[in-house]
Amino acid sequence: MKKQIILFCIVTFISSCAKYPDPSYQNLEDYRFNKSGSDQKAFACNYINDSISVQIENLIAYYCAQGLQVQFNVMAGGGSVDQSTVITDNNGFAYTNWKLGEETCQQLVRANVLDYTGKLLSEIDFRAFSFRFNTWDTVTIRPDIRINDMVADTINNLTFMTSGGTLYRQGDNYFDWDEIKNIDFTHSIEIDNEGTLYAGTRGELVKSTDQGKTWLTCNKPMPDYSGHFFLVVSSDNYIWVTAINYALRCSRDGGFTWTCDSTGLAPMELLGDVFRLTDGTLLFHSLNCHLYKSEDDGKTWTAMEAPELSIKLYVTENDEIIIINQDYGISIYKSTDMGEHYTRKISVMPEFGTLIDHIFHKYGDIYYVLVPGYGILKTPDLEKFEIYWRNTGLNNLFMDHNGVLIARDWEWDKIYYRKNSE
Amino acid sequence: MYAKFTTPTRLQFELSAGVYFSFLVNYDYTDGNPYNYYPLSSSIYYYPGYNPEPSKHDFGYFLSTGVSYPLDNYFRLYLNSRYFYGKRDFIKTVNGKNGSTELTFGIGYSGLFRKNEKLNLENSDNDSSEQKMFLKFRGGWNISRNIGEQHNNSYSVRNGFLTGLSLVYRFNEKSSLQMDVLFERKGYNMQDSSYSFFRYVPGDYPIDEVDTKIDIDYLVIPILYNVCFGNPVSFYFNTGPYAGLNLNARCTGIAIDEYSSDNRYTLIETHVYDDIEGYIKDIDWGWVLGGGIQFPVFGRYKMDIEFRYNYGLKNIFDPLYNNQSANFYEDKTIKNESFNLMVSLQIPVY
């Protein structure tokens, strides 16, 4: 009996020994997913250029995860993928080709990554933009949403734009933009009627006569200044520049020499618009809501009467003077007698007030006029206007060399493209 | 150093209480990272990597209860349960104290210093009917759970144990007053998605899947009034209040944290071993309702089998901070409820 008791004690003692795990944590599974091919653009019903892919890395075992299943599903836009279920290869890649649909501009494919047991590890979204005719297509990616200036070279059929300090050339499609790398930070871009590009950089003015391939530095309009400046190239190829605390400068020889031609201008006038009339008279509208004219090639200026608190000047090929001011919200006035008399043509009430920049564009016989905070007006003669697109979020409008309208949202998070079929 | 009370019976019961002193001999940290991965309180639960030097000595209290049985004149079989409660912070930066619960058994030899004598067994001619005071040594099984008012679906019952002794004063053949001193392990299990490992705290993704056991050790002192019927086999019922002193509270188990985004998937398993004493109030109290059967076994010894229900009346959760911005839906109430099944051996007190 005693031996059984002792044996029981020994067995119980040994079996009772246990060590509870120390407090700790352990990575049971750890995967990293690298996606590629998102945010591409293409015409509707066409494939995007590059396939979309997911690469899966197993971070515990330090290898690319082969043999995992990736399911590509079209979630929005109406497009299709060539292979919906793909097994990752030796390098952990799973890829497929994507044909865009035409239901919406922004399209979505979701890749579901499953582990070896079929458990869902992650959902990875791929986005693409599908472009259609005769409708506004919305893009929400850079560099498009940061477009702040654009010029159309109708001689060479090119379009250039600046976005986020970088200069871009339009690619093969109106929605593609190729970065021009051989130029410094660019805040503005202008073009003369010979196709010479002028770009404002950090205190410098540079020009290109070969469509942006090479750039020459012009003499500085303000030699002691290296900041931002306002730049306009008028139809006579004169270059006009102002800056904070710097009066109007003009170069009549393509940027080699500069003159300070501010006689007759109020102090601190900043450059808005400059137009040359057919009789040689120059009109200068400042950001301070003043209108001036010069009859001596811009050397001296005299103030002109114009509708009060004017914010924009535009002159047509027929010397019709268009003034936009802040009457009744926003009003468009027109003068056909060299500014002697103005007639109000239309008034609209925008949602907000802002500096007005690129708002007048003409393609063929039609003018497109943006009223920021209201929408785009369409007119054949700047007499009768119709609403082309009512959108209270717009604050800038551009047009490329093919007449494609590009409108930017005031929050800098959307850009709208519209190409009308011929 | 301790004082020990031993019954002069063949099957000896002993109860000891006292203080202990200990001296550091060696220390080592073999596992873990400098920081523990807990959402519970990162400021408390990190390994002492920055200030690893523990205190050179320690002191505290201990409580012991046990039985022993002679195998022959020189050998004795022992079974003891001991509870050590340290009073000194052994690692200052951790704010932790030593403590342990032990169940020991073995065989003792007393032949070195004792002649070969037969054991003296108790022999009393006292009539059991004249006995006023009795001692009961009891042990048993405990099922407990959390009956806080919110989210009871997150919690389930927990098995535990209890041991201790009772002192019974008999008024007459039908009634008596009883005071117990019991070591009881209460607690509960938790399985849910929660930010906390020991109570339900909801939140947004990501959140842990928790499967933990919460052990709360008490020194329970019920004072019960007994009413009994029958002889020699008697049935009895008892009821009365109890007070509990929190000795220890611990949360152990597993928490799974699953995180998924479009560029990463991780599955992390955390082995939880948390001291949650700071979140449990020192004192609990409630009401007891029980009943059982008592029958003679040998000599004047009697055995009880008792079923007891303990209902906690107090919220024992103690938030560390008076958090006014706490999540409205999180559990802020923990209440004890337990069911005991005990076996006791009653011996008359001399």
Side-chain angles (χ1 to χ4, degrees):
Chain A
M1 178 60 180
K2 293 174 189 175
K3 289 179 183 174
Q4 284 86 349
I5 293 173
I6 293 171
L7 180 62
F8 170 76
C9 292
I10 294 171
V11 170
T12 307
F13 172 74
I14 293 172
S15 62
S16 69
C17 294
K19 182 179 184 300
Y20 197 86
D22 287 330
S24 62
Y25 70 89
Q26 180 186 4
N27 267 6
L28 300 179
E29 295 178 46
D30 196 354
Y31 294 97
R32 181 162 58 203
F33 312 109
N34 305 309
K35 76 174 180 182
S36 173
S38 188
D39 291 342
Q40 295 183 69
K41 303 169 185 168
F43 284 108
C45 303
N46 282 270
Y47 283 94
I48 52 177
N49 284 343
D50 300 325
S51 57
I52 54 175
S53 68
V54 177
Q55 185 193 27
I56 305 170
E57 298 174 276
N58 185 326
L59 297 182
I60 292 180
Y62 299 105
Y63 64 77
C64 294
Q66 178 189 2
L68 293 181
Q69 188 181 113
V70 179
Q71 298 171 343
F72 293 96
N73 302 306
V74 175
M75 304 300 290
S80 62
V81 292
D82 284 356
Q83 285 177 281
S84 58
T85 300
V86 182
I87 304 297
T88 54
D89 61 17
N90 289 346
N91 295 317
F93 278 102
Y95 53 89
T96 189
N97 295 317
W98 183 6
K99 183 177 180 182
L100 301 184
E102 54 183 350
E103 292 176 6
T104 57
C105 175
Q106 185 160 314
Q107 315 236 320
L108 182 68
V109 161
R110 176 163 294 161
N112 292 333
V113 181
L114 310 178
D115 71 357
Y116 301 105
T117 66
K119 179 178 73 172
L120 178 66
L121 297 180
S122 178
E123 294 177 336
I124 302 165
D125 287 344
F126 292 86
R127 183 174 56 180
F129 297 93
S130 170
F131 291 87
R132 306 152 295 170
F133 294 145
N134 305 316
T135 187
W136 288 98
D137 290 321
T138 308
V139 173
T140 55
I141 58 173
R142 297 189 186 208
D144 309 57
I145 58 175
R146 309 299 287 187
I147 294 175
N148 68 294
D149 205 354
M150 185 180 293
V151 291
D153 181 354
T154 52
I155 299 172
N156 299 295
N157 292 324
L158 294 171
T159 297
F160 297 85
M161 69 89 167
T162 59
S163 170
T166 304
L167 183 65
Y168 293 86
R169 179 190 300 110
Q170 194 179 52
D172 293 337
N173 300 313
Y174 62 85
F175 43 78
D176 290 327
W177 300 99
D178 303 322
E179 184 179 340
I180 297 175
K181 294 190 191 305
N182 57 352
I183 184 171
D184 199 3
F185 179 90
T186 308
H187 58 75
S188 53
I189 185 77
E190 291 285 323
I191 192 168
D192 67 15
N193 57 22
E194 293 173 358
T196 300
L197 292 168
Y198 293 90
T201 64
R202 294 183 207 272
E204 301 274 353
L205 179 67
V206 296
K207 61 190 272 188
S208 173
T209 56
D210 54 7
Q211 297 86 53
K213 297 184 185 64
T214 59
W215 296 87
L216 294 171
T217 303
C218 303
N219 290 324
K220 274 191 162 187
M222 287 89 61
D224 59 341
Y225 178 75
S226 297
H228 177 273
F229 53 87
F230 298 92
L231 173 69
V232 168
V233 175
S234 49
S235 58
D236 50 13
N237 294 345
Y238 283 14
I239 308 169
W240 305 90
V241 168
T242 61
I244 304 291
N245 297 323
Y246 290 88
L248 184 66
R249 261 77 167 160
C250 179
S251 174
R252 297 170 178 81
D253 55 6
F256 289 107
T257 60
W258 294 87
T259 56
C260 180
D261 298 324
S262 59
T263 304
L265 298 179
M268 310 295 285
E269 288 287 24
L270 290 175
L271 185 61
D273 307 289
V274 178
F275 287 89
R276 171 87 70 175
L277 303 179
T278 52
D279 66 355
T281 304
L282 280 166
L283 295 181
F284 165 53
H285 183 265
S286 77
L287 295 182
N288 296 335
C289 309
H290 300 142
L291 182 64
Y292 302 89
K293 69 175 181 181
S294 172
E295 292 166 332
D296 56 1
D297 203 34
K299 295 180 179 60
T300 63
W301 302 87
T302 52
M304 278 180 72
E305 290 291 327
E308 277 189 335
L309 298 176
S310 55
I311 54 179
K312 191 69 179 174
L313 167 71
Y314 182 75
V315 177
T316 70
E317 296 157 346
N318 302 321
D319 288 349
E320 296 160 317
I321 300 173
I322 308 298
I323 288 287
I324 296 182
N325 80 344
Q326 298 167 81
D327 288 345
Y328 313 105
I330 291 289
S331 294
I332 299 178
Y333 288 84
K334 181 177 179 181
S335 171
T336 54
D337 54 6
M338 309 293 278
E340 292 293 325
H341 302 91
Y342 288 89
T343 308
R344 181 162 63 94
K345 297 300 178 184
I346 187 172
S347 296
V348 296
M349 186 59 69
E351 291 281 324
F352 56 84
T354 181
L355 282 180
I356 292 187
D357 200 356
H358 309 83
I359 63 167
F360 281 96
H361 299 279
K362 187 180 182 186
Y363 189 71
D365 297 327
I366 303 297
Y367 291 94
Y368 297 91
V369 182
L370 169 69
V371 177
Y374 183 81
I376 300 174
L377 305 174
K378 178 179 171 184
T379 175
D381 52 9
L382 296 167
E383 287 278 343
K384 291 185 173 45
F385 293 81
E386 65 178 82
I387 298 174
Y388 182 66
W389 189 31
R390 185 85 163 93
N391 185 334
T392 59
L394 303 178
N395 83 331
N396 226 331
L397 181 65
F398 310 96
M399 180 182 280
D400 77 354
H401 60 279
N402 287 320
V404 175
L405 289 168
I406 303 168
R408 196 192 69 218
D409 191 79
W410 75 280
E411 288 184 297
W412 296 81
D413 60 359
K414 286 187 281 290
I415 207 88
Y416 305 93
Y417 290 87
R418 183 179 179 113
K419 179 176 174 61
N420 294 320
S421 49
E422 300 296 331
Chain B
M1 293 180 298
Y2 58 90
K4 181 163 81 173
F5 168 76
T6 308
T7 59
T9 54
R10 185 177 179 83
L11 178 64
Q12 274 187 351
F13 297 89
E14 64 175 49
L15 180 67
S16 308
V19 297
Y20 75 87
F21 296 90
S22 63
F23 301 90
L24 178 67
V25 174
N26 188 29
Y27 70 93
D28 188 24
Y29 307 116
T30 57
D31 272 326
N33 301 314
Y35 291 91
N36 283 345
Y37 175 80
Y38 292 138
L40 181 59
S41 175
S42 61
S43 63
I44 297 177
Y45 300 107
Y46 60 87
Y47 275 121
Y50 282 4
N51 190 6
E53 186 73 20
S55 176
K56 291 283 191 295
H57 49 268
D58 187 19
F59 75 93
Y61 307 126
F62 89 96
L63 180 70
S64 171
T65 180
V67 295
S68 66
Y69 185 81
L71 298 176
D72 62 20
N73 288 339
Y74 297 113
F75 289 90
R76 204 168 183 88
L77 183 68
Y78 291 92
L79 176 66
N80 276 99
S81 65
R82 296 197 292 183
Y83 179 80
F84 287 87
Y85 181 78
K87 292 296 291 180
R88 192 187 181 105
D89 288 342
F90 73 99
I91 300 284
K92 286 185 173 46
T93 51
V94 174
N95 236 11
K97 299 180 176 61
N98 278 313
S100 66
T101 305
E102 301 173 357
L103 188 64
T104 59
F105 51 88
I107 298 172
Y109 175 70
S110 58
L112 286 178
F113 304 104
R114 200 154 58 94
K115 294 179 183 175
N116 189 359
E117 296 176 357
K118 287 189 178 177
L119 293 169
N120 289 328
L121 303 177
E122 76 285 3
N123 188 11
S124 169
D125 295 330
N126 285 351
D127 184 350
S128 63
S129 63
E130 296 178 357
Q131 293 296 320
K132 286 290 185 184
M133 291 192 67
F134 299 88
L135 204 60
K136 288 186 184 180
F137 292 87
R138 54 180 65 218
W141 174 47
N142 178 34
I143 296 178
S144 60
R145 63 177 185 169
N146 171 21
I147 54 167
E149 291 149 6
Q150 300 164 285
H151 304 108
N152 287 330
N153 291 338
S154 303
Y155 311 108
S156 58
V157 297
R158 178 99 178 92
N159 290 319
F161 66 94
L162 72 158
T163 182
L165 53 84
S166 306
L167 190 64
V168 180
Y169 181 82
R170 192 170 71 175
F171 296 121
N172 51 50
E173 287 185 359
K174 300 266 189 242
S175 64
S176 60
L177 188 69
Q178 172 181 324
M179 187 182 85
D180 296 357
V181 177
L182 302 171
F183 174 88
E184 185 174 350
R185 172 157 290 174
K186 304 189 184 189
Y188 51 93
N189 291 336
M190 177 171 160
Q191 293 96 22
D192 209 335
S193 302
S194 171
Y195 275 138
S196 170
F197 293 154
F198 70 95
R199 65 187 178 102
Y200 176 73
V201 177
D204 295 328
Y205 177 85
I207 198 168
D208 290 287
E209 293 295 325
V210 173
D211 184 1
T212 52
K213 302 168 181 47
I214 292 85
D215 293 323
I216 310 174
D217 297 335
Y218 283 97
L219 188 71
V220 179
I221 304 176
I223 298 178
L224 307 175
Y225 181 74
N226 288 313
V227 175
C228 61
F229 309 91
N231 192 25
V233 175
S234 61
F235 298 91
Y236 62 90
F237 301 96
N238 54 37
T239 187
Y242 77 84
L245 173 66
N246 178 24
L247 301 175
N248 191 30
R250 181 181 61 206
C251 176
T252 58
I254 299 287
I256 303 291
D257 177 18
E258 187 178 33
Y259 172 76
S260 176
S261 71
D262 64 350
N263 65 352
R264 196 74 180 261
Y265 174 84
T266 57
L267 191 67
I268 297 175
E269 181 180 82
T270 301
H271 292 280
V272 180
Y273 201 110
D274 282 352
D275 176 5
I276 59 171
E277 227 174 281
Y279 291 96
I280 304 297
K281 292 178 181 169
D282 291 338
I283 303 293
D284 181 28
W285 56 275
W287 199 264
V288 176
L289 203 62
I293 179 173
Q294 186 182 70
F295 48 88
V297 284
F298 47 83
R300 286 171 292 112
Y301 292 7
K302 291 186 179 179
M303 179 166 281
D304 291 7
I305 299 175
E306 179 177 341
F307 177 80
R308 188 179 286 184
Y309 171 71
N310 306 275
Y311 182 78
L313 294 170
K314 185 178 176 183
N315 178 12
I316 61 171
F317 173 59
D318 186 4
L320 285 183
Y321 312 105
N322 189 13
N323 190 353
Q324 297 296 332
S325 62
N327 189 319
F328 177 78
Y329 296 103
E330 68 179 73
D331 271 351
K332 303 178 191 67
T333 305
I334 299 176
K335 282 186 180 177
N336 287 315
E337 183 190 62
S338 61
F339 302 83
N340 310 140
L341 181 63
M342 294 182 288
V343 174
S344 311
L345 187 66
Q346 176 180 297
I347 60 173
V349 177
Y350 289 95

